[in-house]
Amino acid sequence: MKLGIVGLPNVGKSTLFNSLTKAGAEAANYPFCTIDPNVGIVAVPDDRIKRLGELYHTKKVTPAVIEFVDIAGLVKGASKGEGLGNQFLANIREVDAIVHVVRCFEDENVVHVDGSVDPVRDIETINLELIFADLEVLERRISKVARTAKMDKEAGREMALLKRVKDHLEEGKPASSLELQGEEEEKWFAGYNLLTAKPVIYAANVSEDDLADDGASNKYVAAVREYAAQTGSEVFVICAKIESEISELDDEEKAMFLEDLGISESGLDKLISASYRTLGLMSFLTAGEDECRAWTIRIGTKAPQAAGKIHSDFERGFIKAEVVNYEVLLREGSLAAAREKGLVGMEGKEYVVKDGDVILFRFNV
């Protein structure tokens, strides 16, 4: 999973990235301090594989990971090259979802690029730039398809879709809200890789005082939530400054710190949960003496395709999957004990993998 972190300059974007990844992107009180995209790999916290590792006395515990890309602050006119322009808009095209950091705090010591705090205006500024960038992509595709549209029926159908998408964007609507008709259109649409077709998760960056009640008393957070509800987007509340402090602590200290603040989970935990929900993801597990590992798959994935996440040979030569829920495995103490009680399923090609399944794949190539 690859997430792009975007936002206007000075909204706390790079501070959040640094705290999530400890990658040390420069964070300063001026625009464009992040000139090249910074990339960090973050382990997805998952107690299940830790506990399985203890059960198996495993040599290695490997969590699922998320790749974060911190992209320089967008400004009005970015699609036309203002600020750092298309240099970083291109980087957003490679991500699965966009994490849009929105400033929801007042601080006279941190300048706002537009002079005042207004999260909905900020969101719309960036959305408009993404729409302009998508229109450029469409214009190029229209120019190419137009050459054969009059003679080729398939090209003609694609041209009709392109014009529909273009009209939709020109109305100021994101591509994600366009209703597609049939598999053919879905295939073409996916190929355009439009920025506004990507799911968006809003990170409402608040002051420490607004963190305990999850931004309930913050008018800016309320505005972001109302805006996000229109498109069914997720919103989570963070304090980038606090995240920065949390990132320096070990697990025990972190738990105590969060308890003192009156909150149950960190911003990273919130972001990961929101990302998995938004992208329809979950994890299955593999366990053994050599390694215990979490594998990220889409909800609804069948056993052979889950096996393919480990190795293409596993999918190609799939025979059966031995499946046990991780809680059952922990309770029984071993796979053999679970087998004796009939708690391990022998599943075939149509089995839909569930979150928390511990799977041993049988294959023959």
Side-chain angles (χ1 to χ4, degrees), residues 277-296:
R277 285 193 301 270
T278 297
L279 294 171
L281 302 175
M282 65 178 198
S283 296
F284 75 92
L285 314 168
T286 53
E289 290 182 5
D290 289 331
E291 183 182 36
C292 288
R293 182 163 181 169
W295 304 86
T296 302

Side-chain angles (χ1 to χ4, degrees), residues 176-347:
S176 59
S177 63
L178 180 71
E179 197 169 320
L180 299 173
Q181 298 162 6
E183 288 183 13
E184 188 177 51
E185 284 198 353
E186 288 173 5
K187 183 179 176 182
W188 286 326
F189 185 80
Y192 306 148
N193 200 16
L194 300 176
L195 298 174
T196 61
K198 296 183 185 298
V200 179
I201 302 164
Y202 294 101
N205 188 14
V206 301
S207 67
E208 183 180 338
D209 294 340
D210 288 327
L211 201 56
D213 69 353
D214 203 36
S217 56
N218 183 309
K219 64 180 181 181
Y220 300 128
V221 174
V224 173
R225 283 178 170 145
E226 185 178 343
Y227 185 93
Q230 296 170 23
T231 54
S233 297
E234 292 256 358
V235 179
F236 71 100
V237 174
I238 54 147
C239 173
K241 186 178 175 184
I242 292 295
E243 289 301 311
S244 184
E245 294 177 25
I246 290 173
S247 70
E248 302 299 325
L249 306 176
D250 62 31
D251 288 348
E252 191 175 328
E253 291 172 328
K254 174 182 162 184
M256 291 173 62
F257 187 66
L258 291 175
E259 188 178 342
D260 288 343
L261 289 171
I263 56 179
S264 58
E265 56 183 351
S266 69
L268 176 59
D269 296 332
K270 290 179 185 177
L271 174 52
I272 288 170
S273 297
S275 303
Y276 271 63
R277 285 193 301 270
T278 297
L279 294 171
L281 302 175
M282 65 178 198
S283 296
F284 75 92
L285 314 168
T286 53
E289 290 182 5
D290 289 331
E291 183 182 36
C292 288
R293 182 163 181 169
W295 304 86
T296 302
I297 56 172
R298 292 197 178 279
I299 293 169
T301 299
K302 292 183 179 179
Q305 288 69 51
K309 288 288 289 184
I310 300 173
H311 197 287
S312 57
D313 285 351
F314 284 29
E315 182 174 0
R316 194 167 72 250
F318 179 88
I319 300 172
K320 289 282 182 184
E322 283 193 79
V323 182
V324 60
N325 178 272
Y326 98 99
E327 288 182 341
V328 171
L329 181 56
L330 288 173
R331 186 184 70 227
E332 299 304 324
S334 71
L335 189 61
R339 277 198 200 105
E340 284 179 18
K341 292 187 178 179
L343 299 173
V344 178
M346 290 295 290
E347 307 293 352

Side-chain angles (χ1 to χ4, degrees), residues 50-63:
K50 289 181 184 176
R51 294 175 67 190
L52 287 173
E54 291 166 1
L55 177 67
Y56 279 86
H57 304 289
T58 191
K59 297 171 186 173
K60 186 179 180 184
V61 172
T62 307

